Amino acid sequence: MSKAAWHTRIECGREVGAGFLVSARQVLTCAHVVRFSDTAEVVVSFPGRRDLGGVRASVAMHGGWRGGAADPGDLAVLELEREVPVGPAVFAPPGAEQGGELVAYGFPQGYDEGMLASYRALPGPLISGEWVQLEALTAHGQPLAAGFSGAAVTLADGGVVGMVSAVAGARDVRVGRMLPTEVLARYWHGLGELVPTPGHEARALRRLYTLVRRAAGARPDLEPDRLYVDAVGPFGPPVPPGGFASLERAAGYVQWEVPEPEAVTRFADRLAALLDGTPPDGGADGRADGGPVAGTDDGPDAGPDDGPDAGPAETAWSPIVVEIEHSGAGAGQVTVEVFAYRDGHRRPVGTRRLPRTGVRAYVQERIDEAFTQLAPDADELITFVLPREWLNEPVARWECSPDDPTPLGCAYPLVVADRSRHRSGRLRHQLTKKWQKLDAGPTTLQRVDCDTRERPPSLRKRLRDHDTGLTVYGAPPAAVREHFEVGLNVPVPVLLWPRTGCPGPAHPGPCAGGSFLDALAGSVTGVPPADLPRHVLTLRETAEADDDPDGHWARDIQLMWDDPRCFPEPTACLHSPVA
């Protein structure tokens, strides 16, 4: 029995070509060889095993070839109707084609049993990033004529280095083209574990692609871009434009394009953990929440409620931060910086100076890109760090993208933060201590009505006496400016208010602000402060889905949530005049 019985002859309508067996039921060939497969039967035969006869096959994968001689993706994977008792082709390492004789086994007209053609690979770059140019070793041998398309190109020992994709033309019968193995694997990632890759152990590649196949059925929700970033780290090659369409493509890119061999292992380890349900540090579901809000307090004489004990907790949010500041380049000009946090490190995504009118479109684009920097199982938190006069900006109502009108605040947990206190070392220190107390036990909710007669100094004392973690306002910041600034500067870790509604103290008729406070107090009681971003997301979604969304009390809720432990800053960012 021939050791090279894996060579195949393929018939499809009036087309005849070659191919080669890569598994018990899969054959690789050119897409143009089976271009009539929609109307004609595909029959595969094995010249080295004539006893098998013709085996019907179907096209299982198409590389995207569109019909032109120079169109990329001219390959197809055929699935045989049954397994065949033939050993598959064995691949040589990428680049092995250079410097020696190459042989192709094809089926030119009149030679149904096949003919051999002897060629060499021309050194140099890939033509259009796709093809290796082949040149005949002699002027009198068998050219790569019609019938060689799809043939395996092999070394003297039979190792496959590529596939013939373009045969000799009428003007020059000595020249042809092949798709090298690394290009074939780019289109069909089933080759990834079959082709020896420098720096990668075969066992590691088999494990990687076994996990990828398992994930295709068990976890279709996994995001390839995030897994890739997790594998290559912050300094690895970036996600290519457009991202990865599948886990297979991401795995193949790690194998072929990332120079660090350990990236394959990290990709596989991370994928295995997600498939097996291994929880991240910090709890069974990867999160740890702070203590509950345990009641409300309406005035200076009210006391804190006692609540159930709650153990210490660690923050588990992965923020995507949009920081906006005045650029100093003139009225209406701002600087927008977008970055993501991962493993306690800040990863820049983009920075640009823009007119205020251009901010929304830029933010939509950069937020989408920032998601590629997060771990696959991360709990994202969109955080807008804004100048104080922008804190009431309806960022939660901004659309996710030009193609997705869903408000950002209905798609993700979204909070705002005051830029001046976000950058203050003194206030960050105080906020960190307050959050540690919130982790350890319950807090009180302090409310500030729109018609409050309480003087700001009295409010300051009330908030400090009760060491409150949560203050809610019945009116937007501009309507209760002095009282709002007290909450910012005490500082209170969490502030909530309606962006619209009550215009301030002097107004006739029923108070929308009072209704907001009553509904909000009933909604957030018992919710751990660390989980308020997720809770407010639910409130926004509920309001958006209401029959009268404009009339729902939570439609324009704004949440300032500021836990410095989620936003670790380098020392230079806080203290260096240069920074």
Side-chain angles (χ1 to χ4, degrees), residues 178-369:
M178 80 168 184
L179 292 168
T181 51
E182 63 267 31
V183 174
L184 294 174
R186 182 197 305 162
Y187 289 104
W188 184 49
H189 297 289
L191 285 181
E193 61 188 303
L194 303 177
V195 179
T197 310
H200 297 299
E201 293 183 1
R203 181 172 55 183
L205 293 175
R206 283 195 299 271
R207 174 176 179 252
L208 171 66
Y209 286 100
T210 298
L211 289 167
V212 167
R213 286 191 293 271
R214 180 180 159 201
R219 290 292 306 273
D221 58 312
L222 294 179
E223 297 184 31
D225 290 4
R226 292 197 192 182
L227 268 169
Y228 172 80
V229 172
D230 200 37
V232 304
F235 305 110
V239 174
F244 297 107
S246 66
L247 282 176
E248 274 192 341
R249 289 192 177 276
Y253 201 86
V254 171
Q255 175 185 353
W256 296 103
E257 305 294 340
V258 178
E260 184 187 6
E262 291 79 9
V264 164
T265 301
R266 288 196 297 268
F267 192 104
D269 287 348
R270 190 60 169 162
L271 185 54
L274 292 170
L275 289 172
D276 296 337
T278 304
D281 292 341
D285 62 353
R287 297 191 305 269
D289 298 324
V293 174
T296 64
D297 194 338
D298 294 335
D301 299 326
D305 266 338
D306 292 330
D309 292 336
E314 297 177 0
T315 183
W317 291 107
S318 295
I320 292 173
V321 177
V322 179
E323 185 162 350
I324 301 174
E325 63 175 322
H326 299 293
S327 69
Q333 294 288 317
V334 297
T335 298
V336 182
E337 182 179 7
V338 181
F339 48 90
Y341 280 98
R342 179 165 176 168
D343 301 327
H345 298 290
R346 177 167 144 170
R347 299 187 176 195
V349 175
T351 302
R352 185 172 298 179
R353 188 171 68 193
L354 296 162
R356 183 164 176 170
T357 55
V359 169
R360 184 180 304 194
Y362 179 74
V363 166
Q364 288 173 337
E365 182 181 348
R366 293 283 84 82
I367 283 180
D368 193 63
E369 183 179 341

Side-chain angles (χ1 to χ4, degrees), residues 298-300 447-456 459 462 472-481 483-484 498 501-518:
D298 294 335
R447 58 185 281 169
V448 180
D449 289 274
C450 60
D451 59 351
T452 181
R453 296 179 179 271
E454 187 177 16
R455 295 172 58 247
L459 174 62
R462 168 158 66 105
V472 295
Y473 293 84
V480 287
R481 183 179 58 82
H483 294 80
F484 186 76
C502 181
H507 57 81
C511 178
S515 300
F516 172 85
L517 288 174
D518 293 340

